[in-house]
Amino acid sequence: MKPLADLIRPTQLSEVCGQQHILGENKILDRIVKSGRISNMIFYGPPGVGKTTVANIIAEKAGKRFYKLNATNASLKDIQEITKELDTFLGVNGVVLYLDEIQNFNKKQQQSLLEYIEDGRITLIASTTENPYFYIFKALLSRSTIFEFKPVEEEDIKKALNRAIDIKSKEYNEIKLNVKEEAIDYLASYCNGDVRKAINGLEIALNSTKPNSDKFVVIDLSVVKDSTQSKVISYDNDGDAHYDILSAFQKSIRGSDADAAIHYLARLVKAGDLISICRRLQVIAAEDIGLAYPQACLIVKSLVDSARELGFPEARIPLAEATILLATSPKSNSAYLAIDSALNDLENMTIGDIPNHLKDAHYSGACKMGRGVEYKYPHSYPNHYVHQQYLPDNIKHRTYYEYGDNKFEKATKDYWDRVKK
């Protein structure tokens, strides 16, 4: 018996749930299907959002011989078998090759398609859950149009669930199917935009529930919660979701939004990614809080060490404390900007030699070479300061550090303004 997700798979673009930004009336993919002239395309997006379904619909409308490969188990030999048919009667009009999970093909396998894509004998429709700019050969990218599929909205997922319920109801004879609205709402929210995950949850609930004495199969909230167990969080340790959540986490702290920061921390905690959280918190303390509150680095280091020692689930508590501390602290990126500016000069300027008076003079003969001769020892002067040149001649007027507009750095600036005057 086919899985429920396959039973309800749309055969027309109008039946596809969501993706209206590319599938809606007169949107780009809608126009392509209506024209019947398809080009090379790459569908990019999370699982269960309709990439394979849309690819199948477009391929069938093209009027060409259709091949489908999954890059997780396909090989170079499979591609060669397809290319052999291009010069036969079977491939006289060209072929459409749907390549699912293309990120699993290595560079050589992807390159093997180039010749046939270039002359139009193969029209490629590929799908991937990974960022195509990181995983797909550049020559293929330049010959393809990338379409991003987004997580499906809850209202659209509910439409798919109701369609599945209607189809499944027809399989029952005397037995009636009663899926409560609360159960549908929960499935639509639990799956995080993955239609297939929602349909699979419904299918498990249906298959595991027996009719009651009134010959009703009742699917309520408790049944679907039991069938789905734990809510799915889109996350992987080296994919887009990983970096997107970490990026949102840091930007929320930088933006001083403690609520958003705690939300993204919760996602990372749910994924069990302790190492990434700890590393990112320490980076934020230095990069975004910086000299506005220098003690933040010490406090965060202590909390991070505590989290590592505790492990999950208790680690969530010191991590939350560090996150809220950083989000609500004053901000300064003056140190971050200073070091990046200095590094940029190293790459793009002729820096010149270190001034002689700053060079090492702790060896015999240093004086004869002028090393350290004119150096002034600051501690021998009032306020432990004396004016002298420290930067190389070529950049002696460069300023890398600009005092931040916060209490700590303002006080530091006022002190040095008084001393240096």
Side-chain angles (χ1 to χ4, degrees):
M1 181 182 291
K2 276 188 175 183
L4 185 55
D6 282 342
L7 284 175
I8 72 160
R9 191 181 292 278
T11 56
Q12 303 291 331
L13 286 186
S14 58
E15 297 173 348
V16 177
C17 294
Q19 313 308 333
Q20 290 305 294
H21 63 293
I22 51 177
L23 298 180
E25 185 72 22
N26 288 324
K27 295 295 184 180
I28 182 64
L29 284 180
D30 178 60
R31 298 201 306 272
I32 287 174
V33 171
K34 287 176 179 175
S35 73
R37 296 187 296 273
I38 66 172
S39 57
N40 301 308
M41 293 180 275
I42 296 172
F43 294 165
Y44 157 54
V49 295
K51 300 187 299 296
T52 301
T53 297
V54 173
N56 286 336
I57 293 171
I58 291 176
E60 288 177 9
K61 301 286 185 184
K64 297 183 179 182
R65 188 164 177 79
F66 179 52
Y67 294 91
K68 183 176 179 180
L69 294 177
N70 189 306
T72 56
N73 52 33
S75 65
L76 196 57
K77 185 179 179 181
D78 294 309
I79 296 174
Q80 291 168 346
E81 289 297 320
I82 294 171
T83 57
K84 282 178 184 177
E85 294 189 6
L86 293 175
D87 295 323
T88 69
F89 179 74
L90 293 172
V92 67
N93 294 320
V95 304
V96 174
L97 170 61
Y98 173 53
L99 187 54
D100 198 11
E101 305 294 346
I102 189 174
Q103 76 273 8
N104 290 303
F105 261 13
N106 60 37
K107 186 176 180 180
K108 184 177 181 181
Q109 289 171 309
Q110 292 185 36
Q111 283 179 316
S112 67
L113 295 167
L114 274 178
E115 175 189 346
Y116 307 100
I117 289 173
E118 193 105 69
D119 62 21
R121 286 182 289 170
I122 287 180
T123 302
L124 177 69
I125 304 178
S127 67
T128 176
T129 55
E130 305 294 346
N131 192 322
Y133 292 100
F134 296 157
Y135 289 91
I136 298 179
F137 184 45
K138 285 183 173 57
L140 276 184
L141 285 179
S142 69
R143 291 162 175 79
S144 307
T145 305
I146 297 173
F147 296 95
E148 184 175 1
F149 283 60
K150 301 181 182 297
V152 181
E153 298 291 335
E154 287 185 21
E155 288 305 312
D156 289 319
I157 293 174
K158 289 177 187 178
K159 292 176 186 176
L161 287 166
N162 284 316
R163 184 162 174 261
I165 292 165
D166 289 340
I167 291 172
K168 199 68 178 176
S169 295
K170 295 172 184 176
E171 295 182 5
Y172 295 88
N173 295 321
E174 297 178 359
I175 298 168
K176 304 285 186 176
L177 189 54
N178 181 8
V179 182
K180 302 292 186 183
E181 194 67 32
E182 61 184 10
I184 294 174
D185 290 343
Y186 178 80
L187 286 168
S189 65
Y190 128 93
C191 67
N192 272 9
D194 185 334
V195 179
R196 188 187 303 113
K197 182 64 70 175
I199 298 299
N200 289 345
L202 173 65
E203 186 173 27
I204 291 170
L206 291 172
N207 291 341
S208 61
T209 305
K210 294 182 179 180
N212 60 21
S213 57
D214 296 326
K215 295 187 177 180
F216 272 90
V217 173
V218 179
I219 307 298
D220 59 17
L221 183 58
S222 63
V223 173
V224 292
K225 279 189 174 182
D226 190 45
S227 300
T228 53
Q229 295 298 315
S230 179
K231 186 169 181 177
V232 175
I233 299 295
S234 177
Y235 193 86
D236 49 68
N237 285 330
D238 58 0
D240 278 358
H242 167 82
Y243 295 107
D244 287 346
I245 295 174
L246 284 173
S247 174
F249 180 55
Q250 179 163 1
K251 288 171 181 173
S252 298
I253 292 176
R254 182 184 296 151
S256 303
D257 190 328
D259 296 313
I262 283 292
H263 166 76
Y264 291 114
L265 173 65
R267 290 199 190 193
L268 294 164
V269 168
K270 178 82 171 174
D273 194 355
L274 181 58
I275 293 174
S276 292
I277 300 170
C278 292
R279 181 180 180 278
R280 190 57 62 110
L281 284 169
Q282 291 181 97
V283 168
I284 294 167
E287 178 182 345
D288 295 306
I289 283 71
L291 293 170
Y293 183 27
Q295 293 91 336
C297 280
L298 297 174
I299 299 170
V300 167
K301 179 63 167 67
S302 177
L303 291 167
V304 160
D305 287 347
S306 175
R308 284 176 169 153
E309 188 172 317
L310 288 169
F312 287 128
E314 288 84 358
R316 75 191 189 283
I317 304 168
L319 293 176
E321 185 179 343
T323 297
I324 294 170
L325 171 74
L326 295 178
T328 56
S329 291
K331 307 295 189 295
S332 173
N333 66 341
S334 57
Y336 166 77
L337 293 176
I339 186 60
D340 278 8
S341 178
L343 288 168
N344 183 65
D345 279 1
L346 293 180
E347 289 290 329
N348 298 292
M349 294 180 65
T350 301
I351 301 302
D353 197 16
I354 296 171
N356 268 346
H357 61 281
L358 298 183
K359 290 181 178 179
D360 180 25
H362 291 87
Y363 57 90
S364 176
C367 289
K368 294 179 181 178
M369 299 175 68
R371 303 292 198 261
V373 173
E374 297 180 5
Y375 175 63
K376 298 173 185 177
Y377 187 58
H379 296 300
S380 300
Y381 295 83
N383 297 310
H384 305 270
Y385 173 77
V386 61
H387 177 75
Q388 62 185 322
Q389 181 182 330
Y390 289 97
L391 282 170
D393 286 342
N394 290 0
I395 56 170
K396 65 182 180 180
H397 298 302
R398 292 286 286 167
T399 299
Y400 294 114
Y401 172 61
E402 299 283 356
Y403 289 94
D405 187 20
N406 57 76
K407 185 177 179 180
F408 179 86
E409 289 182 271
K410 279 183 176 179
T412 305
K413 183 178 186 300
D414 288 344
Y415 169 79
W416 283 111
D417 282 348
R418 290 195 304 271
V419 168
K420 292 182 179 182
K421 283 177 182 176

